[in-house]
Amino acid sequence: MAVLADMLTGLRALIALLLVAMVGQGRLETAAALLATAWLTDYFDGKSARAASRPTHLGRWDLQADTFVGAGLMVGLALGGYVSWAVGLLVVVVFGGGWIALGNDSLSSVLQAISYGLFMWLAYSRSVGGWWLPPVVILIIAILNWERFIHDSIPGFLEGIAELLSATRRLVKRTS
């Protein structure tokens, strides 16, 4: 099970690169399927890792792979002209760079949410074939993972945002 989890994490990183190319080339239907697949690999690599009898090798890279998917999607949106380069770079640099520099996982979540939301809105508004696939997959995963989402993901995200706000207040006080 540990090997399967590692393979799925690696596949998600590869999907991130494919998303850059597919969205950048305007192949939005393929990108919708790839995004849904990325989310499924995340769901199943977590299940596999928890069921494994030994630690996975790539488990510590899971959030990096998730962030890479969101960043890849945003870069693809900029390459394809769906968002300006300024917006694309701002999202990737501010949230991705902030996540790396500060180690606050909530910034990765914000980067992913912005990228996924923009892509799904684009696919829906352009009536892309398969536009419905990512929202359906994420809904199914949310239902299957509801307890984990409510008890771990949301509180962890909110704690990270609170930590950022507290750090910002301290910085403002020091500079005032």
Side-chain angles (χ1 to χ4, degrees):
M1 293 307 270
V3 171
L4 176 61
D6 285 341
M7 288 173 45
L8 292 170
T9 299
L11 177 59
R12 197 161 57 262
L14 176 62
I15 289 171
L17 294 172
L18 292 172
L19 281 169
V20 173
M22 294 300 105
V23 176
Q25 294 172 12
R27 297 175 61 187
L28 301 180
E29 189 170 332
T30 302
L34 284 169
L35 181 57
T37 302
W39 290 342
L40 288 170
T41 64
D42 188 33
Y43 175 75
F44 285 112
D45 85 16
K47 286 269 195 209
S48 299
R50 286 186 291 280
S53 60
R54 64 174 178 81
T56 64
H57 295 293
L58 297 181
R60 67 177 189 256
W61 297 101
D62 186 70
L63 184 58
Q64 285 83 342
D66 296 341
T67 307
F68 198 36
V69 170
L73 193 56
M74 184 56 69
V75 170
L77 289 166
L79 273 173
Y82 303 110
V83 299
S84 71
W85 273 102
V87 168
L89 286 174
L90 181 73
V91 169
V92 172
V93 170
V94 168
F95 296 108
W99 167 67
I100 291 168
L102 301 174
N104 187 307
D105 295 347
S106 295
L107 292 171
S108 167
S109 297
V110 171
L111 182 154
Q112 292 174 63
I114 292 169
S115 300
Y116 300 157
L118 284 173
F119 176 77
M120 288 191 291
W121 173 80
L122 173 70
Y124 169 76
S125 67
R126 294 192 176 206
S127 300
V128 169
W131 69 265
W132 52 269
L133 191 56
V136 166
V137 166
I138 203 64
L139 178 63
I140 291 168
I141 291 170
I143 291 168
L144 293 174
N145 248 3
W146 187 250
E147 275 216 22
R148 191 172 172 86
F149 184 68
I150 293 298
H151 293 18
D152 298 332
S153 300
I154 292 175
F157 174 77
L158 293 175
E159 287 169 12
I161 295 298
E163 182 183 305
L164 286 171
L165 292 172
S166 178
T168 302
R169 282 189 205 110
R170 287 191 305 272
L171 182 63
V172 167
K173 278 184 180 180
R174 276 190 232 143
T175 58
S176 297

